[in-house]
Amino acid sequence: MIDNQKIKIMGHLVAGYPDTAGFEAACSAMSDSGIAILEIQIPFSDPTADGPENTGAGEAALRNGFKVEDFYRYLNFASARGFDEIHVMTYANIIFRYGIRKFIDDMNKAKVTGVIVPDLPIEDEEGFYSYASQDGVAVDAVPVAVVNMIPERIEMLRNLHAERCYVSLRQGVTGTKTVMDNDTIQFLDSLGVPKLYAGFGISTRDQVDALQGHAYAAVVGSHFTRTIRNAGSDPKIIYREMYNNAIKFS
Amino acid sequence: MGKWFGAYGGQYVGEVLKPALAELEKAVIEILPSEKFRSEYLRLLRNFVGRPTPLCPAENLTEELGGASIYVKMEGLAHTGAHKINNALGQVLLAKHMGKNKVIAETGAGQHGVAVASAAAKLGLSCEIFMGSVDVKRQQPNVFLMKQFGADVQVVEDGTKTLKDAVNAALKDWVRESKRTAYVLGSALGPYPYPDMVRDFQRVIGDETRSQILEMTGRLPDEVVACCGGGSNAMGIFTAFLEDPVALTAVEAGGFGDKPGEHAVRMNGGGQTGIIEGYKSYFLQTDDGQVQSTHSISAGLDYAGIGPQLVQLYETGRVKFTKAYDSEVLQAYQEFAQKEGIIFALESAHAAAEVLKKASQMKKNSIIVVNMSGRGDKDLFITAGELYTHEWKTFLNEEADRLKDRSVR
Ligand SMILES: Cc1ncc(COP(=O)(O)O)c(C=O)c1O
């Protein structure tokens, strides 16, 4: 279903982590090393779909005083780095408080490609998927699929006719190691969504290669957050470590 | 059974949790009403939990205050010391009927954790309790009890390291292990079907109270009062009276002040609508949607969210919400101890404080029922620390000295 185009990498960063300068260093290193797509998370106090690494990063950002209104500073910085696409990931309550339509409108204005909100299921969407699918709204509300979804829910997803879908490769939360078995590959091929962003637990180029031809992009999240954490607080070192790590994927 | 309570409730969870919740919903519909389940549950409520719990007339306070007749529903006499066991036992038994061999649960103060650990020991399931590290430090006696029941206590270091973080950690664990594990949620909140299921396991409190008061006085009470954390004891005692001309009052934790972070009052403007931990309800939160920290002298009311059905009942006006400050709670705790010989749990003492404020303003011959959701033994380290500071400190120091020579086992 996916053409032979080389699979892209979507790198994940948490806004405000480790701080503004550190985020900017990591973000620049990603674009300089050829990472095509950036996913930025707006931190939330109760991140039910994140593993320990990103949970810790979000907490650190909030402890440092991150406010949702600060997000634009990070988004604008990233937008100037020339990524092919930028996606924004956060949790339902953040955009619910912001106003879901207003959030989509503002992301649309900021030329964001997609918004991913894992705890807004298709049937309790609060207008998220339906508003984003209206004419004149370029930004996509990107639904989340999971390998082993029950058939009725796969059907529900197909009925959205989404252009893009985030697929979590294992039944779990981000950041625990994933193996690509045949079931996973078959699931990806059967979804019928043009652009799949497949992630959760990817930390090696081999895992990315296993997705070639089955997904549009491979998501590398916790792995990069760990890189930042291990690099410490000096932006120069964060840049160097992130660059050396990210280049292995591109 | 309903997923929605007006605009509140729902099942706002990631796709990864959907299969486990679908399996639970099926079990709630098919297993709970079955004769096999009902008869075993009722037998355990009688022989293990000690139901029915008494409805005790508080004659001395009634006379002293000179208004309404006060009755205390003695839920604290239930096994493990609180109403929590009604729900814990029900869900652990359901897990067993679903063929699970393990239960997991979150706990804040540890009351729910103790109840789940006890029920799991009784029914032969293994048990893992998630508890924030801050709570573990504050609640060692309950940690000890859970371990005596054979439970593993997982210390959660995420976020504020308290109840909400324990919920998140338990949910994440459930995602990994839902084939053999059931998640036993401790209050009438969370994603569907939990608010419904928990209320249905707790409604026995109100069902008993209703028939007890009718038998004792020949009439319904004028008012029923319960404390309100997540809302399980409140929904438990209110449900039987929803269609009756009985005033229903829920009491939230006023903490030590009205500023954000000093209390856990979600109603009357304290909280705003949000979508957190799988359900839509009122939450104490910042303007930009981060969960706000809370405070209460009672660990069990110290929570930012509240059950969705209670929000609906608040908005329709069927349930009135009020609050009690920490200081009022300690006073009510002492009043009931000295005048009635009953030690309320600090959570339940919030409801007691409301009754003390209100009873004298009510007509003679009217009836007010207070739900003593728990007994106060568990709060010894808080109450004695507050009310008996010097002696308690000396005691703890001497105990610590005595243990110094004891080799660690
Ligand atoms: C004795 C007692 N009452 C009340 C509560 C509050 O919970 P809920 O509002 O669900 O009854 C707790 C919670 O731990 C409790 O232990």
Side-chain angles (χ1 to χ4, degrees):
Chain A
M1 48 149 280
I2 309 263
D3 54 35
N4 288 328
Q5 185 190 29
K6 188 175 175 222
I7 187 166
K8 295 171 189 275
I9 303 291
M10 177 155 92
H12 176 109
L13 289 175
V14 175
Y17 182 74
D19 53 25
T20 308
F23 174 93
E24 291 178 357
C27 184
S28 302
M30 275 190 186
S31 66
D32 293 351
S33 62
I35 300 287
I37 307 175
L38 179 68
E39 179 187 26
I40 315 181
Q41 175 167 175
I42 306 177
F44 176 50
S45 54
D46 292 68
T48 40
D50 277 293
E53 203 63 62
N54 286 327
T55 298
E59 270 165 24
L62 291 172
R63 253 198 323 273
N64 289 341
F66 176 90
K67 297 275 180 298
V68 172
E69 65 196 28
D70 302 336
F71 175 64
Y72 290 100
R73 197 194 307 165
Y74 299 92
L75 182 59
N76 292 339
F77 182 88
S79 298
R81 299 273 90 64
F83 290 100
D84 294 355
E85 298 176 10
I86 291 179
H87 293 255
V88 175
M89 181 265 172
T90 192
Y91 288 87
N93 200 54
I94 295 293
I95 69 167
F96 182 75
R97 293 300 305 167
Y98 191 100
I100 289 181
R101 285 169 174 234
K102 179 168 157 38
F103 189 78
I104 290 172
D105 285 343
D106 288 354
M107 291 303 109
N108 197 40
K109 274 186 226 139
K111 304 229 170 354
V112 164
T113 301
V115 181
I116 303 158
V117 183
D119 57 344
L120 269 185
I122 297 164
E123 70 275 30
D124 299 335
E125 56 131 17
E126 299 285 331
F128 177 62
Y129 301 102
S130 46
Y131 184 67
S133 71
Q134 287 180 0
D135 290 346
V137 183
V139 65
D140 281 346
V142 180
V144 178
V146 196
V147 177
N148 302 342
M149 266 167 96
I150 54 173
E152 300 90 90
R153 298 200 62 82
I154 296 180
E155 205 42 46
M156 216 192 264
L157 181 76
R158 287 214 181 94
N159 290 337
L160 271 185
H161 302 293
E163 165 80 6
R164 306 162 201 279
C165 180
Y166 193 105
V167 186
S168 95
L169 292 174
R170 62 188 302 286
Q171 288 267 7
V173 288
T174 56
T176 34
K177 204 165 160 50
T178 301
V179 261
M180 242 60 78
D181 53 16
N182 274 340
D183 285 354
T184 304
I185 298 298
Q186 264 172 22
F187 176 79
L188 294 174
D189 292 350
S190 70
L191 262 183
V193 176
K195 291 181 175 161
L196 298 180
Y197 300 70
F200 284 42
I202 293 181
S203 59
T204 66
R205 181 70 219 184
D206 286 351
Q207 289 172 308
V208 175
D209 290 339
L211 289 167
Q212 174 66 46
H214 307 285
Y216 169 77
V219 185
V220 184
S222 299
H223 180 66
F224 285 155
T225 304
R226 197 173 304 119
T227 304
I228 297 173
R229 179 166 58 80
N230 290 337
S233 57
D234 182 347
K236 283 198 211 66
I237 299 178
I238 293 172
Y239 180 91
R240 189 188 69 208
E241 293 299 308
M242 181 58 88
Y243 185 89
N244 290 341
N245 198 347
I247 197 93
K248 293 181 201 151
F249 288 91
S250 44
Chain B
M1 293 290 298
K3 178 173 164 183
W4 297 101
F5 305 97
Y8 303 98
Q11 197 181 69
Y12 298 88
V13 298
E15 204 55 49
V16 288
L17 256 183
K18 286 282 179 182
L21 288 170
E23 187 191 353
L24 180 63
E25 179 185 0
K26 188 163 177 282
V28 166
I29 292 168
E30 289 172 6
I31 298 174
L32 283 195
S34 72
E35 181 48 36
K36 187 157 166 274
F37 181 89
R38 295 293 312 163
S39 61
E40 196 176 349
Y41 180 55
L42 292 176
R43 197 169 62 236
L44 284 162
L45 282 183
R46 193 169 56 241
N47 301 337
F48 179 62
V49 175
R51 303 209 73 90
T53 57
L55 182 69
C56 178
E59 282 138 348
N60 302 328
L61 278 172
T62 296
E63 193 177 313
E64 183 179 317
L65 295 171
S69 297
I70 302 168
Y71 288 78
V72 182
K73 177 60 172 168
M74 305 277 275
E75 274 307 289
L77 298 192
H79 177 50
T80 67
H83 70 295
K84 295 277 169 186
I85 189 74
N86 303 325
N87 168 54
L89 178 69
Q91 287 195 52
V92 175
L93 186 63
L94 180 64
K96 190 171 179 178
H97 282 246
M98 288 168 78
K100 309 285 179 189
N101 56 21
K102 181 179 166 190
V103 290
I104 59 172
E106 83 294 343
T107 198
Q111 286 310 106
H112 175 57
V114 167
V116 173
S118 164
K122 175 75 178 166
L123 297 175
L125 278 75
S126 65
C127 176
E128 198 170 313
I129 304 291
F130 292 81
M131 192 169 183
S133 62
V134 168
D135 289 332
V136 167
K137 285 206 189 84
R138 297 193 282 212
Q139 309 287 343
Q140 271 300 330
N142 275 339
V143 174
F144 171 74
L145 289 179
M146 287 183 254
K147 290 185 172 173
Q148 295 310 297
F149 290 130
D152 272 336
V153 178
Q154 293 290 340
V155 181
V156 178
E157 299 288 355
D158 299 329
T160 55
K161 310 179 200 313
T162 59
L163 178 58
K164 73 181 184 65
D165 310 288
V167 172
N168 291 338
L171 284 171
K172 286 173 191 180
D173 185 76
W174 197 32
V175 165
R176 282 190 289 271
E177 291 218 49
S178 68
K179 282 210 171 53
R180 64 182 204 101
T181 302
Y183 177 27
V184 178
L185 193 57
S187 193
L189 40 68
Y192 170 76
Y194 284 104
D196 254 2
M197 173 171 64
V198 175
R199 178 206 56 226
D200 287 349
F201 282 133
Q202 293 291 6
R203 67 165 293 160
V204 63
I205 307 171
D207 289 339
E208 283 177 11
T209 304
R210 199 172 185 283
S211 53
Q212 286 166 325
I213 198 83
L214 284 174
E215 195 181 295
M216 292 165 86
T217 69
R219 54 178 291 242
L220 289 170
D222 296 275
E223 182 162 350
V224 175
V225 183
C227 69
C228 188
S232 70
N233 89 89
M235 283 315 303
I237 196 163
F238 291 164
T239 298
F241 297 101
L242 282 177
E243 307 298 323
D244 295 326
V246 174
L248 303 174
T249 304
V251 188
E252 295 183 280
F256 61 85
D258 299 335
K259 292 202 198 70
E262 297 180 350
H263 61 85
V265 177
R266 292 120 330 163
M267 301 304 194
N268 300 309
Q272 277 92 40
T273 304
I275 301 172
I276 297 170
E277 285 181 347
Y279 63 109
K280 188 195 273 190
S281 188
Y282 287 179
F283 294 87
L284 287 161
Q285 53 183 311
T286 61
D287 288 342
D288 61 350
Q290 310 292 353
V291 174
Q292 185 80 256
S293 64
T294 50
H295 167 83
S296 169
I297 192 169
S298 64
L301 304 186
D302 199 356
Y303 186 61
I306 188 168
Q309 188 171 8
L310 280 164
V311 175
Q312 182 190 33
L313 293 167
Y314 165 78
E315 289 190 350
T316 59
R318 181 66 190 91
V319 173
K320 296 276 182 266
F321 280 78
T322 172
K323 66 183 170 193
Y325 291 109
D326 288 351
S327 54
E328 299 172 314
V329 169
L330 276 172
Q331 269 166 22
Y333 162 90
Q334 290 170 284
E335 277 291 294
F336 272 87
Q338 286 160 19
K339 309 279 164 56
E340 295 297 335
I342 302 172
I343 300 269
F344 271 62
L346 287 174
E347 291 82 3
S348 327
H350 284 70
E354 174 66 14
V355 168
L356 293 182
K357 284 181 214 167
K358 196 171 263 169
S360 61
Q361 298 159 29
M362 292 170 72
K363 282 202 207 70
K364 248 188 155 47
N365 301 327
S366 59
I367 297 173
I368 188 164
V369 175
V370 53
N371 191 22
M372 185 182 79
S373 54
R375 62 174 183 258
D377 323 20
K378 69 175 180 67
D379 298 322
L380 210 56
F381 284 80
I382 300 168
T383 45
E386 288 282 337
L387 302 171
Y388 195 53
T389 315
H390 176 70
E391 293 87 340
W392 192 248
K393 214 158 137 187
T394 309
F395 165 70
L396 291 180
N397 281 332
E398 282 171 10
E399 281 297 293
D401 281 344
R402 204 169 57 77
L403 287 177
K404 257 188 206 132
D405 309 326
R406 185 84 55 88
S407 59
V408 178
R409 261 183 270 182

